[in-house]
Amino acid sequence: MTTTSTSHLPADHPLASGLTSESALLNQYRGSRTSDGAPAKPERRPVWFMRQAGRSLPEYRKLREGTSMLDSCLNPQMASEITLQPVRRHDVDAAIFFSDIVIPLRLAGVGVEIQPGVGPVLDSPVRTAADVAALPELDESAFAPITEAIQRTTAELGSTPLIGFAGAPFTLAAYMVEGRPSRDHLGPRAMMHSDPQTWNELAAWAADVSGRFMRAQLMAGASAAQLFDSWAGSLGRADYQRHVLPHSTAALSHVSELSGPNGVSAPLVHFGTGTSEILDLLKTAGADVVGVDYRLDLSEATRRLGPETPLQGNIDPAFLTADWPVLEAHVREVMAAGSGAAGHVLNLGHGVPPETDPPVLTRVVELIHSIEP
């Protein structure tokens, strides 16, 4: 598997140049500290939303007309514009790179498409040792459209940080085994026990492409990265610890030591849905920040992880259609619950639903920014 030896971000990187290093987002990701480690409050409470770039925005739907999901991700100009749209509209404190967790599969040459109303569908599921052995090597040159899209985006963002992301090895491997979305992910869970060697080889392949995908984004200009484990909630604690944690650790190891010549490093966030019982393991994998979904109160997350762990989350997306007083009260409750952590970045406890009214998100951002840090 391909590895890259350098641990230094380019000298013109937004973190290395200082452009984003003192942003409110990175201040909270570092546990309310400046880039040199001094305690400091941010100028405002930072907030961004998972899936903020996407189906809830009419400008996104107009731009995407006639272009498939994966093709839009690999069109640098389009991916950059989609990434920037919610920053302009909502004044969020970070952009999240517009892409998809299966893009590394496509870049490696694995046949996969996003079918509307279904999700990722592979041409051929990966279920045997021979299938795993036949998986292609991901060539470094395949990241060219990702690099271009990131560079276009950071040139427009200025001091607003860009967050890179990748799907965690279990979630990627789950799609590969099932061949399509699944309710219970029985296929990959069964493989862990019936054929653990094949599972480990598949998960190691997924960890490599996922980690390198994150690394390409960070090297091109992203100031932080988030590893998404959409389906880790389907696992018991013992299965996660034995069969998944080593691979998530391997994915994060590709980016865990990246820093600029000034010593400022790129924070790493680990988020999963339905992962309340394994939050400590998500942190153990190598994350600086733990994302919490809407199922667990942030004060309880702090009790489980310790007050030194910065948190991200966890406004319940179900509240976005409620009357404003109800939504406002909920946002304030989440902010209060997160106040015991070393740092807290407001976010949803999952992605923005496509039916969300965009002005509601703008109003939520305005509320959060209006409250003194």
Side-chain angles (χ1 to χ4, degrees):
M1 302 216 175
T2 303
T3 57
T4 308
S5 58
T6 180
S7 61
H8 293 297
L9 298 169
D12 60 351
H13 190 281
L15 274 178
S17 68
L19 192 59
T20 60
S21 57
E22 304 304 336
S23 63
L25 179 89
L26 297 189
N27 171 282
Q28 290 301 282
Y29 277 172
R30 289 190 296 258
S32 302
R33 293 185 178 275
T34 64
S35 60
D36 59 6
K41 288 184 177 181
E43 72 276 10
R44 65 185 191 182
R45 292 172 182 260
V47 54
W48 67 278
F49 304 111
M50 288 180 281
R51 294 184 187 160
Q52 65 187 17
R55 296 170 292 176
S56 66
L57 298 181
E59 55 265 43
Y60 164 83
R61 294 193 294 270
K62 181 178 180 180
L63 183 61
R64 273 274 326 275
E65 284 179 2
T67 306
S68 72
M69 175 63 181
L70 297 188
D71 284 347
S72 65
C73 293
L74 293 174
N75 178 322
Q77 186 172 0
M78 185 177 290
S80 176
E81 172 59 22
I82 293 171
T83 301
L84 293 164
Q85 286 175 347
V87 180
R88 299 191 194 109
R89 179 185 272 267
H90 302 309
D91 190 30
V92 285
D93 295 282
I96 178 72
F97 183 52
F98 176 74
S99 192
D100 190 272
I101 62 170
V102 299
I103 283 292
L105 306 188
R106 167 68 74 86
L107 294 177
V110 175
V112 60
E113 285 291 349
I114 306 292
Q115 291 190 4
V118 178
V121 176
L122 273 72
D123 291 349
S124 302
V126 180
R127 295 174 178 167
T128 68
D131 292 338
V132 175
L135 287 170
E137 175 85 9
L138 175 55
D139 189 270
E140 203 71 19
S141 63
F143 291 123
I146 306 301
T147 298
E148 181 182 344
I150 294 278
Q151 291 173 341
R152 283 175 174 267
T153 304
T154 54
E156 296 289 334
L157 283 172
S159 60
T160 300
L162 174 66
I163 302 170
F165 89 97
F170 175 73
T171 292
L172 280 184
Y175 278 123
M176 295 173 76
V177 174
E178 300 283 9
R180 60 194 301 114
S182 164
R183 285 175 176 254
D184 57 11
H185 312 102
L186 185 61
R189 292 194 292 117
M191 184 187 286
M192 291 175 185
H193 305 290
S194 63
D195 193 353
Q197 181 174 343
T198 296
W199 165 257
N200 280 319
E201 290 173 355
L202 172 59
W205 186 91
D208 182 67
V209 298
S210 178
R212 291 171 60 201
F213 183 49
M214 279 192 295
R215 185 182 183 89
Q217 294 169 68
L218 286 168
M219 292 298 290
S223 294
Q226 176 164 301
L227 191 67
F228 285 77
D229 215 343
S230 306
W231 307 131
S234 67
L235 297 167
R237 184 177 176 89
D239 277 351
Y240 182 89
Q241 190 162 17
R242 180 177 180 182
H243 299 288
V244 175
L245 177 58
H247 301 293
S248 293
T249 302
L252 288 167
S253 72
H254 282 265
V255 291
S256 60
E257 296 182 356
L258 285 179
S259 64
N262 54 2
V264 179
S265 60
L268 304 177
V269 186
H270 202 173
F271 172 79
T273 56
T275 51
S276 298
E277 300 308 313
I278 57 171
L279 286 181
D280 59 320
L281 300 180
L282 297 186
K283 180 181 177 182
T284 300
D288 303 295
V289 183
V290 176
V292 183
D293 76 4
Y294 58 86
R295 297 172 177 86
L296 187 69
D297 187 273
L298 291 182
S299 61
E300 174 60 17
T302 292
R303 189 191 70 78
R304 297 182 185 189
L305 294 169
E308 74 284 354
T309 302
L311 300 179
Q312 182 172 276
N314 65 345
I315 299 166
D316 188 340
F319 279 81
L320 294 176
T321 55
D323 291 338
W324 175 251
V326 176
L327 174 55
E328 179 181 359
H330 175 61
V331 171
R332 290 181 181 274
E333 288 170 359
V334 170
M335 295 176 77
S339 63
H344 178 210
V345 173
L346 274 292
N347 207 309
L348 297 180
H350 201 235
V352 175
E355 63 274 11
T356 301
D357 186 19
V360 171
L361 290 180
T362 302
R363 194 173 181 185
V364 168
V365 173
E366 290 172 347
L367 169 64
I368 291 167
H369 287 165
S370 73
I371 298 172
E372 187 178 348

